[in-house]
Amino acid sequence: MDEADIYMEQRTMQDILRKGLVSIFLRNLEYCESIIFLTTNHVRTFDDAIVSRMHLMIAYSDVGLDARKTVWKNFLEKAETSQGPADIYQR
């Protein structure tokens, strides 16, 4: 579930609508027998209720220029076109 900030951020007493939405999500999460990946890059403080249901949290640091080049190179090396493999060159 990409951009799951609304479910993961600590709730406040003033935001009744979001509290209700998160409560429904947490109730459904209790019955889920699957693995769910929740992603966010905005939350500073996780809600205690969601943290108590997490089994693993992974933090990723920013990807530098060299790492981005490597990722794109790996993807493009696997690319196929109607004329065969993709022609890759660097400037």
Side-chain angles (χ1 to χ4, degrees), residues 5 8-11 42-48 50-51:
D5 310 345
M8 300 172 75
E9 190 174 14
Q10 191 168 20
R11 292 171 282 178
H42 293 286
V43 174
R44 299 277 186 251
T45 307
F46 289 106
D47 193 282
D48 291 338
I50 195 76
V51 171

Side-chain angles (χ1 to χ4, degrees), residues 5-23 45-49:
D5 310 345
I6 194 164
Y7 302 114
M8 300 172 75
E9 190 174 14
Q10 191 168 20
R11 292 171 282 178
T12 64
M13 295 300 288
Q14 293 77 24
D15 197 351
I16 302 298
L17 185 60
R18 193 169 76 77
K19 280 179 64 174
L21 179 67
V22 172
S23 295
T45 307
F46 289 106
D47 193 282
D48 291 338

